[in-house]
Amino acid sequence: MDTRTSPIRLRITQLREAMAEAGVHAVLVPSADPHLSEYLPARWQAREWLSGFTGSMGTLVVAADTAVLFADSRYWTQAEAELAGTGIVLEKIATGTALTHIDWLARQVPRGATVAVDGQVLGLGQHAALRAALERAGVALRTDLDLVDRIWPERAPLPPQPVYEHVAPHATTPRRDKLAAVQAALRAHGATHHLVSTVDDLAWISNLRGSDVTYNPVFLGHLLLDATGPALTGTLFVGEGKVAPALAAALAADGLTLAPYGAAAAALGALPAGATLLLDPKRVTLGLRQAVAAGVAVKEAINPSTLLKSRKNDAEAAHVREAMVEDGVA
């Protein structure tokens, strides 16, 4: 198979042309979005579009002379079938959390060359490991390039599906109570502000749901919380038109205002000097971290909502059991 009969080979060739123009030897394409989700909206399924591998987890590296997909044992049979004829080599790894691709890049990329990855979909923790390994190998790292976007003309837009409210009886705790619990945690950390990007934490705090990801009741957004006042307030960055006026009014009554999805980085850059921003390094991307204003102190800790939502009250536990029965029957 060649580029005349294989769209995957053609896409790899086009990516290498973009790499050559940018002076890049290798491109890292993770399975990730700006929220570091496991299940991705179509807009951020770059690894699948570029490789043809449809598994939910996997990492693709395209170098000047080779292309490698890193996948764990859940996907080996599937990946071998889907990669056949593409020229992409399957690298079998032990687990989905293995960082084998980082070791591979450090070994295979020539000293003095450059590796590129889109910092908007790269987690802070993975960036630290990648940067350290490449520095030891004498390899430069660029995180300001999305080379796949340059060759992806039919890339999907942001999901347009509406956001809706999670209500009683399944919403057993009011939004205001959740905000108050998060505020108490922020004060214990000495933080004045907090950024939430993970869609599950966002849905829990806001008592909102959506359908931006197939089979997941979540929506894409960022939440910047301000704990400097008597009650916690915040800005919800979400796609325009996704929140109906009545729901926007209910959110405003609880201290949450709306802003365009793409405005989160600018808001981070506008935080006041002397502020302390709480970030979870496993749940925030490098791109958002780099947007934080220089005069802002950053404290890294697990999102308070991640711990809070792990503790179920009696009603929530009953709903979980009910859902498991329905799931088992299905």
Side-chain angles (χ1 to χ4, degrees):
M1 298 174 70
D2 58 23
T3 56
R4 294 169 296 180
T5 57
S6 170
I8 301 305
R9 283 185 178 269
L10 176 59
R11 292 166 187 170
I12 296 292
T13 297
Q14 291 172 332
L15 179 59
R16 286 187 173 132
E17 291 171 353
M19 290 161 54
E21 292 176 1
V24 169
H25 181 84
V27 171
L28 172 63
V29 186
S31 297
D33 66 3
H35 311 274
L36 302 178
S37 307
E38 180 178 1
Y39 302 104
L40 308 177
R43 179 171 180 79
W44 286 285
Q45 292 177 3
R47 185 227 65 219
E48 178 179 332
W49 179 82
L50 195 57
S51 68
F53 170 61
T54 61
S56 62
M57 296 280 289
T59 302
L60 177 68
V61 172
V62 177
D65 52 356
T66 188
V68 181
L69 177 80
F70 299 82
D72 66 72
S73 59
R74 294 172 294 173
Y75 304 106
W76 291 348
T77 301
Q78 174 186 354
E80 287 172 347
E82 292 180 335
L83 296 178
T86 65
I88 301 172
V89 177
L90 172 62
E91 181 77 18
K92 297 179 178 180
I93 62 176
T95 68
T97 58
L99 299 179
T100 310
H101 60 279
I102 294 180
D103 297 332
W104 187 95
L105 286 166
R107 291 195 313 268
Q108 299 295 330
V109 175
R111 181 173 290 272
T114 299
V115 171
V117 59
D118 180 11
Q120 302 303 319
V121 298
L122 182 68
L124 281 180
Q126 187 167 119
H127 169 253
L130 178 62
R131 181 182 61 185
L134 294 184
E135 284 180 353
R136 289 192 298 268
V139 176
L141 176 64
R142 288 194 63 178
T143 59
D144 60 336
L145 294 174
D146 184 1
L147 293 178
V148 178
D149 189 64
R150 299 184 185 182
I151 64 166
W152 196 357
E154 71 276 23
R155 188 171 191 174
L158 288 171
Q161 292 85 352
V163 172
Y164 56 93
E165 189 149 24
H166 185 53
V167 297
H170 296 111
T172 64
T173 304
R175 183 165 42 240
R176 287 187 181 183
D177 291 353
K178 292 181 176 181
L179 290 170
V182 172
Q183 183 175 32
L186 295 182
R187 286 178 173 167
H189 280 293
T192 59
H193 296 79
H194 176 40
L195 176 68
V196 179
S197 286
T198 34
V199 292
D200 55 326
D201 289 295
L202 180 60
W204 184 85
I205 292 172
S206 65
N207 272 359
L208 298 176
R209 298 293 186 268
S211 53
D212 288 353
V213 181
T214 305
Y215 308 123
N216 288 260
V218 295
F219 64 98
L220 302 184
H222 303 283
L223 181 61
L224 182 57
L225 296 171
D226 184 339
T228 57
L232 189 65
T233 61
T235 303
L236 176 61
F237 302 91
V238 65
E240 295 184 65
K242 291 174 69 72
V243 180
L247 179 53
L251 292 170
D254 288 336
L256 300 182
T257 57
L258 302 180
Y261 176 83
L268 289 170
L271 287 174
T276 299
L277 177 67
L278 180 68
L279 292 179
D280 188 333
K282 293 184 178 180
R283 295 170 175 83
V284 170
T285 64
L286 173 68
L288 287 173
R289 172 63 182 88
Q290 290 176 330
V292 178
V296 174
V298 174
K299 182 167 187 177
E300 295 187 355
I302 190 170
N303 284 342
S305 51
T306 300
L307 298 174
L308 291 168
K309 70 185 178 65
S310 71
R311 304 183 179 112
K312 309 301 182 186
N313 59 36
D314 291 343
E316 288 171 329
H319 293 320
V320 170
R321 295 187 183 98
E322 179 184 353
M324 295 305 293
V325 169
E326 294 189 14
D327 176 73
V329 171

CSV table of all heavy atoms in Angstrom, one decimal, residues 10-55:
chain,number,residue,atom,x,y,z
A,10,LEU,N,-0.8,8.7,3.4
A,10,LEU,CA,-0.8,10.0,2.9
A,10,LEU,C,-0.7,11.1,4.0
A,10,LEU,O,0.0,12.1,4.0
A,10,LEU,CB,-2.0,10.3,2.1
A,10,LEU,CG,-2.2,11.7,1.5
A,10,LEU,CD1,-1.1,12.1,0.6
A,10,LEU,CD2,-3.6,11.8,0.8
A,11,ARG,N,-1.4,10.8,5.1
A,11,ARG,CA,-1.4,11.7,6.2
A,11,ARG,C,-0.1,11.8,6.9
A,11,ARG,O,0.4,12.9,7.3
A,11,ARG,CB,-2.5,11.3,7.2
A,11,ARG,CG,-3.9,11.6,6.7
A,11,ARG,CD,-5.0,10.9,7.5
A,11,ARG,NE,-6.3,11.0,6.9
A,11,ARG,CZ,-7.4,10.3,7.3
A,11,ARG,NH1,-7.3,9.5,8.3
A,11,ARG,NH2,-8.5,10.5,6.6
A,12,ILE,N,0.6,10.6,7.0
A,12,ILE,CA,1.9,10.6,7.6
A,12,ILE,C,2.9,11.4,6.8
A,12,ILE,O,3.7,12.1,7.3
A,12,ILE,CB,2.4,9.1,7.8
A,12,ILE,CG1,1.5,8.4,8.8
A,12,ILE,CG2,3.8,9.1,8.3
A,12,ILE,CD1,1.6,8.9,10.3
A,13,THR,N,2.8,11.2,5.5
A,13,THR,CA,3.6,11.9,4.5
A,13,THR,C,3.4,13.4,4.7
A,13,THR,O,4.4,14.2,4.7
A,13,THR,CB,3.4,11.5,3.1
A,13,THR,OG1,3.7,10.1,3.0
A,13,THR,CG2,4.2,12.3,2.1
A,14,GLN,N,2.2,13.8,4.7
A,14,GLN,CA,1.9,15.3,4.9
A,14,GLN,C,2.4,15.8,6.2
A,14,GLN,O,2.9,17.0,6.3
A,14,GLN,CB,0.4,15.5,4.8
A,14,GLN,CG,-0.2,15.2,3.4
A,14,GLN,CD,-1.7,15.3,3.3
A,14,GLN,OE1,-2.4,15.0,4.3
A,14,GLN,NE2,-2.3,15.7,2.2
A,15,LEU,N,2.3,15.0,7.3
A,15,LEU,CA,2.8,15.5,8.6
A,15,LEU,C,4.3,15.6,8.5
A,15,LEU,O,4.9,16.6,9.0
A,15,LEU,CB,2.4,14.5,9.7
A,15,LEU,CG,2.9,14.8,11.1
A,15,LEU,CD1,2.4,16.2,11.5
A,15,LEU,CD2,2.5,13.7,12.1
A,16,ARG,N,5.0,14.7,7.8
A,16,ARG,CA,6.5,14.8,7.7
A,16,ARG,C,6.8,16.0,6.9
A,16,ARG,O,7.9,16.7,7.2
A,16,ARG,CB,7.0,13.5,7.1
A,16,ARG,CG,7.0,12.3,8.1
A,16,ARG,CD,7.7,11.1,7.5
A,16,ARG,NE,7.8,10.1,8.5
A,16,ARG,CZ,7.5,8.8,8.3
A,16,ARG,NH1,7.0,8.4,7.1
A,16,ARG,NH2,7.6,7.9,9.3
A,17,GLU,N,6.0,16.4,5.9
A,17,GLU,CA,6.3,17.6,5.2
A,17,GLU,C,6.2,18.9,6.1
A,17,GLU,O,7.0,19.8,6.1
A,17,GLU,CB,5.4,17.8,4.0
A,17,GLU,CG,5.6,16.7,2.9
A,17,GLU,CD,4.6,16.7,1.9
A,17,GLU,OE1,3.5,17.4,2.0
A,17,GLU,OE2,4.7,16.0,0.8
A,18,ALA,N,5.2,18.9,7.0
A,18,ALA,CA,5.0,20.0,7.9
A,18,ALA,C,6.1,19.9,9.0
A,18,ALA,O,6.6,21.0,9.4
A,18,ALA,CB,3.6,19.8,8.6
A,19,MET,N,6.6,18.8,9.4
A,19,MET,CA,7.7,18.7,10.3
A,19,MET,C,9.0,19.2,9.7
A,19,MET,O,9.7,20.0,10.4
A,19,MET,CB,7.9,17.2,10.7
A,19,MET,CG,6.8,16.6,11.5
A,19,MET,SD,6.8,14.8,11.5
A,19,MET,CE,8.5,14.4,12.0
A,20,ALA,N,9.2,18.9,8.4
A,20,ALA,CA,10.4,19.4,7.8
A,20,ALA,C,10.4,20.9,7.7
A,20,ALA,O,11.4,21.6,7.9
A,20,ALA,CB,10.5,18.8,6.4
A,21,GLU,N,9.2,21.5,7.4
A,21,GLU,CA,9.1,23.0,7.3
A,21,GLU,C,9.4,23.6,8.7
A,21,GLU,O,9.9,24.7,8.7
A,21,GLU,CB,7.7,23.3,6.8
A,21,GLU,CG,7.5,23.0,5.3
A,21,GLU,CD,6.0,23.3,4.9
A,21,GLU,OE1,5.3,23.8,5.8
A,21,GLU,OE2,5.7,23.0,3.8
A,22,ALA,N,9.0,22.9,9.7
A,22,ALA,CA,9.1,23.5,11.1
A,22,ALA,C,10.5,23.1,11.7
A,22,ALA,O,10.8,23.6,12.8
A,22,ALA,CB,8.0,23.0,12.0
A,23,GLY,N,11.3,22.3,11.0
A,23,GLY,CA,12.6,21.9,11.6
A,23,GLY,C,12.4,20.9,12.8
A,23,GLY,O,13.2,21.0,13.7
A,24,VAL,N,11.4,20.1,12.7
A,24,VAL,CA,11.1,19.1,13.7
A,24,VAL,C,11.5,17.7,13.2
A,24,VAL,O,11.1,17.3,12.1
A,24,VAL,CB,9.7,19.2,14.1
A,24,VAL,CG1,9.3,18.0,15.0
A,24,VAL,CG2,9.4,20.5,14.8
A,25,HIS,N,12.2,16.9,14.1
A,25,HIS,CA,12.5,15.5,13.7
A,25,HIS,C,11.4,14.5,14.1
A,25,HIS,O,11.2,13.6,13.4
A,25,HIS,CB,13.8,15.1,14.4
A,25,HIS,CG,14.3,13.7,14.1
A,25,HIS,ND1,15.0,13.4,13.0
A,25,HIS,CD2,14.0,12.5,14.7
A,25,HIS,CE1,15.2,12.1,12.9
A,25,HIS,NE2,14.6,11.6,14.0
A,26,ALA,N,10.7,14.8,15.2
A,26,ALA,CA,9.7,13.8,15.6
A,26,ALA,C,8.5,14.6,16.2
A,26,ALA,O,8.7,15.7,16.8
A,26,ALA,CB,10.2,12.8,16.6
A,27,VAL,N,7.3,14.0,16.1
A,27,VAL,CA,6.1,14.6,16.7
A,27,VAL,C,5.4,13.6,17.6
A,27,VAL,O,5.3,12.4,17.2
A,27,VAL,CB,5.1,15.1,15.6
A,27,VAL,CG1,3.7,15.4,16.2
A,27,VAL,CG2,5.6,16.2,14.8
A,28,LEU,N,5.1,14.0,18.8
A,28,LEU,CA,4.4,13.1,19.7
A,28,LEU,C,2.9,13.5,19.7
A,28,LEU,O,2.5,14.6,19.8
A,28,LEU,CB,4.9,13.4,21.1
A,28,LEU,CG,4.2,12.7,22.3
A,28,LEU,CD1,4.3,11.2,22.2
A,28,LEU,CD2,4.8,13.2,23.6
A,29,VAL,N,2.1,12.4,19.4
A,29,VAL,CA,0.6,12.6,19.3
A,29,VAL,C,0.0,11.8,20.4
A,29,VAL,O,-0.2,10.6,20.2
A,29,VAL,CB,0.1,12.2,17.9
A,29,VAL,CG1,-1.4,12.6,17.8
A,29,VAL,CG2,0.9,13.0,16.8
A,30,PRO,N,-0.3,12.3,21.6
A,30,PRO,CA,-1.0,11.5,22.6
A,30,PRO,C,-2.5,11.4,22.4
A,30,PRO,O,-3.1,12.0,21.6
A,30,PRO,CB,-0.7,12.4,23.9
A,30,PRO,CG,-0.7,13.8,23.4
A,30,PRO,CD,-0.1,13.7,22.0
A,31,SER,N,-3.1,10.5,23.2
A,31,SER,CA,-4.5,10.3,23.2
A,31,SER,C,-5.0,11.3,24.3
A,31,SER,O,-5.2,10.8,25.5
A,31,SER,CB,-4.9,8.9,23.5
A,31,SER,OG,-4.5,8.0,22.5
A,32,ALA,N,-5.3,12.5,24.0
A,32,ALA,CA,-5.6,13.5,25.0
A,32,ALA,C,-6.3,14.7,24.4
A,32,ALA,O,-6.2,14.9,23.2
A,32,ALA,CB,-4.3,13.9,25.7
A,33,ASP,N,-7.0,15.5,25.2
A,33,ASP,CA,-7.6,16.7,24.8
A,33,ASP,C,-7.2,17.8,25.9
A,33,ASP,O,-6.4,17.5,26.8
A,33,ASP,CB,-9.1,16.5,24.7
A,33,ASP,CG,-9.8,16.2,26.0
A,33,ASP,OD1,-9.1,16.2,27.1
A,33,ASP,OD2,-11.0,16.0,26.0
A,34,PRO,N,-7.7,19.0,25.7
A,34,PRO,CA,-7.3,20.0,26.7
A,34,PRO,C,-7.8,19.8,28.1
A,34,PRO,O,-7.5,20.5,29.1
A,34,PRO,CB,-8.0,21.3,26.2
A,34,PRO,CG,-8.1,21.1,24.7
A,34,PRO,CD,-8.4,19.6,24.6
A,35,HIS,N,-8.6,18.7,28.3
A,35,HIS,CA,-9.1,18.3,29.7
A,35,HIS,C,-8.5,17.0,30.2
A,35,HIS,O,-8.9,16.5,31.2
A,35,HIS,CB,-10.6,18.2,29.6
A,35,HIS,CG,-11.2,19.4,28.9
A,35,HIS,ND1,-11.5,20.6,29.6
A,35,HIS,CD2,-11.5,19.6,27.6
A,35,HIS,CE1,-12.0,21.5,28.8
A,35,HIS,NE2,-12.0,20.9,27.6
A,36,LEU,N,-7.5,16.5,29.4
A,36,LEU,CA,-6.8,15.2,29.7
A,36,LEU,C,-7.8,14.1,29.9
A,36,LEU,O,-7.7,13.3,30.8
A,36,LEU,CB,-5.9,15.4,30.9
A,36,LEU,CG,-4.9,16.5,30.8
A,36,LEU,CD1,-4.0,16.7,32.0
A,36,LEU,CD2,-4.0,16.2,29.6
A,37,SER,N,-8.8,14.0,29.1
A,37,SER,CA,-9.9,13.0,29.2
A,37,SER,C,-9.4,11.7,28.6
A,37,SER,O,-8.6,11.6,27.8
A,37,SER,CB,-11.1,13.5,28.4
A,37,SER,OG,-11.6,14.8,28.8
A,38,GLU,N,-10.0,10.6,29.1
A,38,GLU,CA,-9.8,9.3,28.6
A,38,GLU,C,-10.5,9.1,27.3
A,38,GLU,O,-10.0,8.5,26.3
A,38,GLU,CB,-10.2,8.2,29.6
A,38,GLU,CG,-9.9,6.8,29.1
A,38,GLU,CD,-10.2,5.7,30.1
A,38,GLU,OE1,-10.7,6.0,31.2
A,38,GLU,OE2,-10.0,4.5,29.7
A,39,TYR,N,-11.8,9.5,27.2
A,39,TYR,CA,-12.6,9.4,26.0
A,39,TYR,C,-12.7,10.8,25.4
A,39,TYR,O,-13.1,11.8,26.1
A,39,TYR,CB,-14.0,8.8,26.4
A,39,TYR,CG,-13.9,7.5,27.1
A,39,TYR,CD1,-14.1,7.4,28.5
A,39,TYR,CD2,-13.5,6.4,26.3
A,39,TYR,CE1,-13.9,6.1,29.1
A,39,TYR,CE2,-13.4,5.1,27.0
A,39,TYR,CZ,-13.6,5.0,28.3
A,39,TYR,OH,-13.5,3.8,28.9
A,40,LEU,N,-12.4,10.9,24.1
A,40,LEU,CA,-12.2,12.2,23.5
A,40,LEU,C,-13.3,12.6,22.5
A,40,LEU,O,-13.8,11.7,21.7
A,40,LEU,CB,-10.9,12.1,22.7
A,40,LEU,CG,-9.6,11.6,23.5
A,40,LEU,CD1,-8.4,11.6,22.6
A,40,LEU,CD2,-9.4,12.5,24.7
A,41,PRO,N,-13.6,13.8,22.5
A,41,PRO,CA,-14.5,14.4,21.4
A,41,PRO,C,-13.8,14.2,20.1
A,41,PRO,O,-12.5,14.2,20.0
A,41,PRO,CB,-14.7,15.8,21.8
A,41,PRO,CG,-14.3,15.9,23.3
A,41,PRO,CD,-13.3,14.9,23.5
A,42,ALA,N,-14.5,14.2,19.0
A,42,ALA,CA,-14.0,14.0,17.7
A,42,ALA,C,-12.9,15.0,17.4
A,42,ALA,O,-11.9,14.7,16.7
A,42,ALA,CB,-15.1,14.1,16.6
A,43,ARG,N,-13.0,16.2,17.8
A,43,ARG,CA,-12.0,17.3,17.5
A,43,ARG,C,-10.6,16.9,17.9
A,43,ARG,O,-9.6,17.3,17.3
A,43,ARG,CB,-12.4,18.6,18.1
A,43,ARG,CG,-11.4,19.7,17.8
A,43,ARG,CD,-11.9,21.1,18.2
A,43,ARG,NE,-10.9,22.1,17.9
A,43,ARG,CZ,-10.7,22.6,16.7
A,43,ARG,NH1,-11.4,22.2,15.7
A,43,ARG,NH2,-9.7,23.5,16.5
A,44,TRP,N,-10.4,16.1,19.0
A,44,TRP,CA,-9.1,15.8,19.5
A,44,TRP,C,-8.7,14.3,19.3
A,44,TRP,O,-7.8,13.8,20.0
A,44,TRP,CB,-9.0,16.2,21.0
A,44,TRP,CG,-8.9,17.7,21.2
A,44,TRP,CD1,-7.8,18.4,20.9
A,44,TRP,CD2,-10.0,18.6,21.5
A,44,TRP,NE1,-8.1,19.8,21.1
A,44,TRP,CE2,-9.4,19.9,21.5
A,44,TRP,CE3,-11.3,18.4,21.9
A,44,TRP,CZ2,-10.2,21.0,21.9
A,44,TRP,CZ3,-12.0,19.5,22.2
A,44,TRP,CH2,-11.5,20.8,22.2
A,45,GLN,N,-9.4,13.7,18.4
A,45,GLN,CA,-9.0,12.3,18.1
A,45,GLN,C,-7.9,12.3,17.0
A,45,GLN,O,-8.0,11.5,16.0
A,45,GLN,CB,-10.2,11.5,17.7
A,45,GLN,CG,-11.2,11.3,18.8
A,45,GLN,CD,-12.4,10.5,18.4
A,45,GLN,OE1,-12.6,10.1,17.3
A,45,GLN,NE2,-13.4,10.4,19.3
A,46,ALA,N,-6.9,13.1,17.2
A,46,ALA,CA,-5.8,13.2,16.3
A,46,ALA,C,-5.0,11.9,16.1
A,46,ALA,O,-4.6,11.6,15.0
A,46,ALA,CB,-4.8,14.3,16.7
A,47,ARG,N,-4.7,11.2,17.2
A,47,ARG,CA,-4.0,10.0,17.1
A,47,ARG,C,-4.7,9.0,16.2
A,47,ARG,O,-4.1,8.3,15.4
A,47,ARG,CB,-3.7,9.4,18.5
A,47,ARG,CG,-2.8,8.2,18.5
A,47,ARG,CD,-3.4,7.1,19.4
A,47,ARG,NE,-4.7,6.6,18.9
A,47,ARG,CZ,-5.7,6.3,19.7
A,47,ARG,NH1,-5.7,6.4,20.9
A,47,ARG,NH2,-6.8,5.8,19.1
A,48,GLU,N,-6.1,8.9,16.4
A,48,GLU,CA,-6.9,7.9,15.6
A,48,GLU,C,-6.9,8.4,14.2
A,48,GLU,O,-6.7,7.5,13.3
A,48,GLU,CB,-8.3,7.9,16.2
A,48,GLU,CG,-9.2,7.0,15.4
A,48,GLU,CD,-10.6,6.9,15.9
A,48,GLU,OE1,-10.7,7.0,17.2
A,48,GLU,OE2,-11.5,6.7,15.1
A,49,TRP,N,-7.1,9.6,13.9
A,49,TRP,CA,-7.1,10.1,12.5
A,49,TRP,C,-5.8,9.9,11.8
A,49,TRP,O,-5.8,9.5,10.6
A,49,TRP,CB,-7.5,11.6,12.5
A,49,TRP,CG,-7.6,12.2,11.1
A,49,TRP,CD1,-8.6,12.2,10.3
A,49,TRP,CD2,-6.5,13.0,10.5
A,49,TRP,NE1,-8.3,12.8,9.1
A,49,TRP,CE2,-7.0,13.3,9.2
A,49,TRP,CE3,-5.2,13.3,10.9
A,49,TRP,CZ2,-6.3,14.1,8.3
A,49,TRP,CZ3,-4.5,14.1,9.9
A,49,TRP,CH2,-5.0,14.4,8.7
A,50,LEU,N,-4.7,10.1,12.5
A,50,LEU,CA,-3.4,10.0,11.9
A,50,LEU,C,-2.9,8.6,11.7
A,50,LEU,O,-2.2,8.3,10.7
A,50,LEU,CB,-2.4,10.8,12.7
A,50,LEU,CG,-1.1,11.2,12.1
A,50,LEU,CD1,-1.3,11.9,10.8
A,50,LEU,CD2,-0.3,12.0,13.1
A,51,SER,N,-3.4,7.7,12.6
A,51,SER,CA,-2.8,6.3,12.5
A,51,SER,C,-3.8,5.3,12.0
A,51,SER,O,-3.4,4.2,11.6
A,51,SER,CB,-2.4,5.9,13.9
A,51,SER,OG,-3.5,5.8,14.8
A,52,GLY,N,-5.1,5.5,12.2
A,52,GLY,CA,-6.2,4.5,11.9
A,52,GLY,C,-6.5,3.6,13.1
A,52,GLY,O,-7.4,2.8,13.0
A,53,PHE,N,-5.7,3.7,14.2
A,53,PHE,CA,-5.9,2.9,15.3
A,53,PHE,C,-7.1,3.5,16.2
A,53,PHE,O,-7.0,4.7,16.6
A,53,PHE,CB,-4.7,2.8,16.2
A,53,PHE,CG,-4.9,2.1,17.5
A,53,PHE,CD1,-5.3,0.8,17.6
A,53,PHE,CD2,-4.6,2.9,18.7
A,53,PHE,CE1,-5.5,0.3,18.9
A,53,PHE,CE2,-4.8,2.3,19.9
A,53,PHE,CZ,-5.2,1.0,20.0
A,54,THR,N,-8.1,2.7,16.4
A,54,THR,CA,-9.3,3.3,17.0
A,54,THR,C,-9.5,3.0,18.5
A,54,THR,O,-10.5,3.3,19.1
A,54,THR,CB,-10.6,2.7,16.3
A,54,THR,OG1,-10.6,1.3,16.4
A,54,THR,CG2,-10.6,3.1,14.8
A,55,GLY,N,-8.5,2.4,19.1
A,55,GLY,CA,-8.5,2.1,20.6
A,55,GLY,C,-8.6,3.4,21.4
A,55,GLY,O,-8.1,4.5,20.9
